[in-house]
Amino acid sequence: EVLPWLLVALPAGALVDRWQSRTALVSAHAFRAVVTSILAVLVFGGAAGLPVLLVCAFLLSSAETFADSAAQTMLVTLAGPEDLERANGRFVGIETTGVEIAGPLAAAVLFAWHPAWCFAVNALALGVAALFVTGMPETADRRTEDEGGRLRTEVLAGQYLDVLGQVRQDEEPRAALRICELKSASYTVRRPLEFGAEAAGADPGTLRALERFGLDIGVAFQLRDDLLGVFGDPEVTGKPAGDDLR
């Protein structure tokens, strides 16, 4: 379960930012629905051995990295700065209720009936979710924020998720990566590149390319900074080692 987040989460986040978030989310849900349906059939037929379970678990967790990145992007885009806190609160509340309370209870009942039904119902739910997302708008029906407002929204969202993660003691790599994208990458590289290019009269294609490039470089910068903050030589970096851990 952890391996896909270590191997797939970073490239998944970069790819999702290059695609339409709704398309990425629908594709991820549909892929997970297909894999889970196949797994349900194999379990029902008694052919789901350990290798099959391991492969399916890796595929499903890998697809989840795409789904989570796309869902967070859509949340920030659709909610906007005024409703972001309330929307994220509802999102986290519903996710927590489903994953930690209702999901395990339903799985226990279905497993007692027949193990295959756990996967069959999960596949159905993922398929319904994919259909539901196809009806959602790609962007909110409001005037586009200026770049300064967008940067402010992203940093606030990243800081909010950062504080929320500390309260919830969330140690998932996906959460840390999303915070890095929204907060650090945005104000260090991504948006400053766009500000300069827009001031110089760059065309929309160039702005989109710089946005994608700036996001990747910003994430790389933050990851490198974190690495040096823990293992770096203070005489070289100019800051105490391990300060981020304290």
Side-chain angles (χ1 to χ4, degrees), residues 42-64:
L42 294 175
V43 171
F44 186 78
L50 182 59
V52 172
L53 294 177
L54 290 176
V55 170
C56 289
F58 182 84
L59 292 175
L60 291 171
S61 295
S62 298
E64 187 179 359

Side-chain angles (χ1 to χ4, degrees), residues 152-225:
R152 182 173 59 252
T153 299
E154 290 169 345
V155 173
L156 288 174
Q159 183 63 30
Y160 176 79
L161 293 176
D162 193 0
V163 174
L164 181 65
Q166 295 180 42
V167 173
R168 299 179 65 194
Q169 297 183 341
D170 190 352
E171 299 179 355
E172 289 287 343
R174 56 176 174 171
L177 180 62
R178 192 57 189 156
I179 292 169
C180 180
E181 292 173 343
L182 284 173
K183 190 168 66 171
S184 304
S186 286
Y187 74 75
T188 55
V189 182
R190 183 184 190 181
R191 297 307 176 192
L193 268 180
E194 290 183 75
F195 295 162
E198 190 170 13
D203 59 89
T206 301
L207 290 174
R208 287 193 297 269
L210 287 174
E211 180 180 4
R212 294 192 298 267
F213 173 78
L215 177 66
D216 293 342
I217 296 300
V219 170
F221 165 80
Q222 184 59 49
L223 294 177
R224 179 65 173 172
D225 184 69

Side-chain angles (χ1 to χ4, degrees), residues 106-129:
V109 173
L110 292 170
F111 190 89
W113 187 10
H114 194 291
W117 281 108
C118 296
F119 303 103
V121 172
N122 193 17
L124 177 62
L126 288 168
V128 171

Side-chain angles (χ1 to χ4, degrees), residues 130-153:
L131 290 175
F132 178 77
V133 174
T134 58
M136 297 178 63
E138 185 68 34
T139 57
D141 185 18
R142 58 174 180 268
R143 291 186 301 175
T144 303
E145 301 174 88
D146 60 8
E147 294 301 319
R150 186 182 303 177
L151 172 60
R152 182 173 59 252
T153 299

